[in-house]
Every structure is written in structure tokens, then in C-alpha cells.
Amino acid sequence: MLIITCPFCGARPEAEFRYGGEAHVARPADPSALSDQEWADFLYNRTNPKGLHAERWRHIHGCGRYFNALRDTVSDFFVTTYKTGEPRPGHDATTTAGER
């Protein structure tokens, strides 16, 4: 079983969490100024990298809060987790104990 570290509650089993999509997606300042294609791109098009990916997660069966995580999409390894609003850590972020 995968163990994910909630930045508020600590390490917990993956069954307590829900994936929330890509992290750090900037919302348009004026959505009414966008064309239909630009709005569709904002709503539906996301990156799909092979490797390190910044994601939003929610601790649904714990504190209920959203947080961000850097996860390797190839190995499913969580490099680190961090609170929403904090900047994305660099690629050399250290591993949090128990996240594998």
C-alpha cells in the first residue's frame, strides 16, 4: 500500500486520499474575455508528463484539506508534499520519510 504524507496530519494510507488534478494551474484573470477554445483549454487540457508531476490531493478521510505533491508518474513515488499556496519545491526536493 502506498503511504502519502499529508502536510497537516502526517503519513497515512493512500485510501484516505483523493487525487485532485494538476497543481499550480493559473485561473484566467477575466474568463469572459476568453474564446471558447481558450476556455476549453483551461478546463480540460492538462500536462501529462512522464516523470515528476505537481499534483493536488485532498485528505478526504482525514483533515479534508487540499495539498500539493510532487509525484513521479513512472514509479508512483511521492518525492514530497507541501501546503497549497507554497511554491513548488525544486526538483532536488528531499524525500519525506515513509512516502514510498
Side-chain angles (χ1 to χ4, degrees):
M1 174 175 279
L2 191 65
I3 301 297
I4 300 173
T5 300
C6 171
F8 305 100
C9 304
R12 300 285 196 272
E14 66 181 296
E16 293 189 13
F17 297 89
R18 293 291 183 268
Y19 177 73
E22 184 177 353
H24 308 288
V25 176
R27 188 171 181 82
D30 183 11
S32 63
L34 299 179
S35 68
D36 289 345
Q37 183 60 48
E38 290 169 329
W39 185 245
D41 286 343
F42 166 71
L43 291 176
Y44 302 112
N45 293 330
R46 298 290 184 257
T47 60
N48 187 21
K50 182 177 182 181
L52 201 59
H53 189 233
E55 304 171 330
R56 292 187 75 195
W57 285 80
R58 185 174 180 209
H59 194 182
I60 194 91
H61 295 294
C63 63
R65 298 171 85 172
Y66 281 95
F67 62 93
N68 294 330
L70 284 181
R71 182 176 65 90
D72 187 322
T73 59
V74 175
S75 65
D76 216 17
F77 178 72
F78 280 78
V79 175
T80 189
T81 58
Y82 53 103
K83 296 176 182 175
T84 55
E86 293 180 352
R88 177 184 165 157
H91 292 287
D92 59 345
T94 57
T95 303
T96 303
E99 291 191 339
R100 177 98 181 148

